[in-house]
Structures are given as structure tokens and as C-alpha cells.
Amino acid sequence: MGDDDEKPLDPAAERVRRRLVRLLIVSFGTMVLGFVAVFGAIVYKLGLFGAPAGTGPSVAEVRLPAGATVTSAALDGDNILLRISGEARGDGQEGRGEELLVLDAASGEILHRVKLLPGG
């Protein structure tokens, strides 16, 4: 007897065979999707996708008020804290005093401004 001489399966056995083939296809597809998800997570964690376009240093400009000087600076993550003091005005009035500026390090945008006033 050769392969060409096989008799067809009875209908009940054919239904079972079809169910098993469908189960095999679904299981294989689920396994492939799982592998794709795992490898995608590994590639994402390695940072191969979404890497910044420029690798050079960023440049941001900050405009200080006229006559102001930076007396100290501190860096905290993505924020910069500048302590600035203003010069005394020539018209006999008080100077600007001191201020604290919290800046975004990437853009140079002023996030917070705190004026330091003398106590009284």
C-alpha cells in the first residue's frame, strides 16, 4: 500500500483533525506574537527606537532683565535654578533685589520666578 492508496477518514475523524489543525495554527500564531512582543520590548529598552536625532549638546538662551547678574546656579535633573540680583538704579530708587528663576534646561523657558523681598 502506498500513500496514494489511503482511504478517506470517516467524518468524525475528519472533524477532529480539522480542530487539531486549527488549534495548532492558533497556538503557533500566539507563540509568534509573544516572541515579537518580547523582542520588541528588548529593542525598546535598549533604546534603538525613538533615539534623539541630534546627539550634540543643546543650546538654550535665557534673557535676563537689564542690569541683572547671575549670583549662583544649580542643576536638578532637567531644571536649572538661577539666583539673579539687580543693580541699584541711578534714580535713587531701590534696585531690583534678588530673584530665583527655575528654568527648563532644554529650552531655557522660565518655569517659575520667585522674587526675594526684604523681611519687615
Side-chain angles (χ1 to χ4, degrees), residues 50-73:
T55 57
S58 63
V59 176
E61 293 182 1
V62 178
R63 302 231 184 255
L64 296 177
T69 58
V70 176
T71 56
S72 67

Side-chain angles (χ1 to χ4, degrees), residues 29 35 50 71 75 79 96 114:
F35 279 129
T71 56
L75 182 64
N79 295 333
R96 289 184 48 86
V114 179

Side-chain angles (χ1 to χ4, degrees), residues 21-39:
V21 168
R22 271 193 307 233
L23 181 63
L24 178 68
I25 291 172
V26 169
S27 299
F28 183 73
T30 304
M31 186 176 66
V32 167
L33 286 176
F35 279 129
V36 167
V38 168
F39 288 126

